[in-house]
Amino acid sequence: MFLYCRYSLSVNGNFLDLLGNGVTDCGGYHSRLLQEYDAVVISSSLFSENLSVPASQEPGANQPIRIIIHKDPGSSKQIQLAINGVTGKVIIFTDNKTVTAPEVAQQGIEIVVLDQINLDVILDYCNCQGLCSVLLDIRGSFGEFEELVKEGIKKNYINKFVTEILPVWDGLAEPDPLQTLKSSEQGLKVVNLKSMASDQSVVIEGYFKL
């Protein structure tokens, strides 16, 4: 099982929920990226910001299974609206504390209820489905991803990262989600680092040396 991580940064290093101009269109890096993976893990908090379910626009692309991490009880309605008209399979991983709107289940969406959502459970599920590659798309509330990222680093699950740097200077002073990576005891070494331009953004990708 291969696990990859994708996130967006401002030029001054803050996390962004945004994607750059044109990157989701046919030929854009994000559109091409999605068709390479069997599943993409996203946060339900994305939908509270009216962001859409990610989809590849490449001709004949196989859409990844969308796995939605649902820990915010207030986002149930937004999930229902966001997945209307989405082609391809959608799975919602939720915990016992979070109520999922019954209308979501009525849409034929698979719902997996767990005591605790962690990477082991998600990856085991994907493996049982015959999926070989999973992309963590870290947008929305980082709180829903923090423990997953920590677990991925500790257990050497995360193989590759893709970082989009947008032409934005973000002045918001918020807790630094990257502290999870910075606080690793011996640091994380990166190999095969590459960069490319995608419209006005710079995309950097590399592999963690495990």
Side-chain angles (χ1 to χ4, degrees), residues 177-193:
L178 284 176
Q179 191 62 38
T180 299
L181 301 179
K182 294 175 182 176
S183 61
S184 179
E185 291 183 3
Q186 298 181 2
L188 294 173
K189 295 184 178 180
V190 175
V191 296
N192 298 331
L193 192 65

Side-chain angles (χ1 to χ4, degrees), residues 163-167 195-204:
T163 306
E164 179 184 356
I165 302 176
L166 285 80
S195 64
M196 66 176 181
S198 185
D199 203 294
Q200 296 182 355
S201 299
V202 175
V203 180
I204 299 173

Side-chain angles (χ1 to χ4, degrees), residues 1 39 110 149 156 164 183:
M1 176 70 67
E110 184 174 352
V149 173
N156 293 332
E164 179 184 356
S183 61

